[in-house]
Amino acid sequence: MDKEEAVKNQLKELGLSRSEVVVYLYLLQKGLSTPTKAAFGTGIARTNCYHLLQGLKDKGLIAEQLNRKRSAYLARDPQAFRRSLERRREVIERLLPDLENLYTSQKYKPALHFYDGFEEVKELYLLPFSSNTTAMIGLGSTAKLDKLDSKFHDHWYAQCKKHKIILKDILTYTSGEKAAMAAKNIQGDLYDYRLLPDDYKNFPTDMLVWSDRVAIFALQEPIFGALIVSPLIAETFRIMFDVMWKALPPMD
């Protein structure tokens, strides 16, 4: 890489676009130039060149002067870069406390996403595998998913094993008769489950919790899913799950 190319790349790192670099270097070398002259010298369309000159002027890197009643532009001393960066740093230092306050107030506000139909719901089921989570809890009836699509049911638990996710399920008694045993056979020691009393044969929705996310699935028509992204809500569900887990007998 020659010296000129190195300079161009370094100017880009300082926040100039490729076209701004071309115009700025032209003015440094050629001196006072009208937009027409700069456009001709750089090969950039006159209208575009005018906007680039205005942008460089706003950045404090060039100055505008009248030359025979026409606007012309001149590159400032390259030390203007240092002054421009110092001004930006001062603005950032003043702005940071307000930005941090806004971030703190926003980060605990939950985000909510909806998934419509079984195909989108399957995408929601697969979301944990695109994260770095190592543990997940579930509550509901895996028998419903197994009945809707047994291949996807087995694939999902296989993905849990592939990503080495420790999964704990609290399931309906019906799920424990078949689906839970299939999951245990797939995941092995990474999987554990406990069963709700036989009185709770039907669980209207299923739930998964991982990281700062809570996913809720309705697998009866109309099939849909909802994803809540909130550290506080996720932790609340974990506490409730833990209370239930400790109250239920371990599986033999």
Side-chain angles (χ1 to χ4, degrees):
M1 181 185 298
D2 60 28
K3 187 173 183 179
E4 184 177 353
E5 281 301 313
V7 169
K8 289 180 179 179
N9 289 334
Q10 289 168 352
L11 287 171
K12 290 176 188 176
E13 290 180 8
L14 290 173
L16 298 188
S17 69
R18 182 181 63 82
S19 296
E20 284 178 326
V21 168
V22 171
V23 173
Y24 177 66
L25 291 179
Y26 176 84
L27 293 179
L28 274 177
Q29 295 169 334
K30 302 298 182 180
L32 189 67
S33 300
T34 63
T36 301
K37 183 179 178 181
F40 181 79
T42 59
I44 296 173
R46 186 180 182 281
T47 302
N48 292 342
C49 192
Y50 177 78
H51 290 301
L52 292 168
L53 289 166
Q54 288 297 314
L56 290 169
K57 177 186 172 184
D58 292 341
K59 289 180 171 72
L61 302 179
I62 66 174
E64 183 178 4
Q65 298 181 5
L66 285 179
N67 182 27
R68 298 178 183 177
K69 298 183 179 180
R70 298 170 61 190
S71 290
Y73 296 86
L74 181 70
R76 293 184 182 275
D77 186 309
Q79 289 293 326
F81 262 116
R82 185 190 302 275
R83 293 192 292 271
S84 176
L85 291 173
E86 289 173 350
R87 285 196 299 272
R88 289 185 187 182
R89 187 178 295 110
E90 290 171 1
V91 171
I92 291 172
E93 290 297 329
R94 292 197 303 269
L95 191 57
L96 269 178
D98 291 332
L99 294 178
E100 288 175 345
N101 286 336
L102 288 172
Y103 174 73
T104 301
S105 66
Q106 289 290 332
K107 68 179 180 180
Y108 291 116
K109 290 185 178 180
L112 183 60
H113 308 276
F114 288 99
Y115 296 76
D116 187 29
F118 188 48
E119 291 306 311
E120 290 191 10
V121 164
K122 287 196 285 187
E123 293 178 11
L124 178 55
Y125 268 109
L126 296 174
L127 272 185
F129 309 129
S130 60
S131 69
N132 294 321
T133 189
T134 58
M136 186 160 42
I137 57 175
L139 174 65
S141 171
T142 54
K144 292 179 183 177
L145 180 61
D146 185 51
K147 185 177 180 180
L148 279 171
D149 191 334
S150 60
K151 289 184 178 179
F152 180 78
H153 172 275
D154 292 350
H155 169 73
W156 189 84
Y157 282 99
Q159 287 297 304
C160 286
K161 181 178 181 179
K162 178 181 177 181
H163 290 83
K164 298 180 180 179
I165 295 174
I166 298 172
L167 175 63
K168 295 167 69 174
D169 264 341
I170 294 178
L171 304 170
T172 61
Y173 193 83
T174 305
S175 297
E177 291 178 331
K178 178 185 175 184
M181 293 304 299
K184 184 68 175 176
N185 289 335
I186 294 170
Q187 275 197 266
D189 292 338
L190 293 173
Y191 183 70
D192 196 6
Y193 70 99
R194 295 187 181 179
L195 298 181
L196 293 167
D198 193 30
D199 295 342
Y200 302 96
K201 295 181 182 297
N202 182 37
F203 218 85
T205 60
D206 294 341
M207 180 187 72
L208 288 173
V209 181
W210 72 96
S211 184
D212 59 352
R213 286 157 168 74
V214 178
I216 300 172
F217 307 88
L219 298 179
Q220 301 175 130
E221 293 294 342
I223 296 175
F224 67 91
L227 176 67
I228 304 170
V229 182
S230 167
L232 297 180
I233 293 177
E235 184 60 24
T236 299
F237 274 98
R238 285 192 184 91
I239 292 171
M240 292 190 295
F241 180 93
D242 192 51
V243 171
M244 295 173 65
W245 183 268
K246 290 176 180 177
L248 294 170
M251 302 305 299
D252 295 332

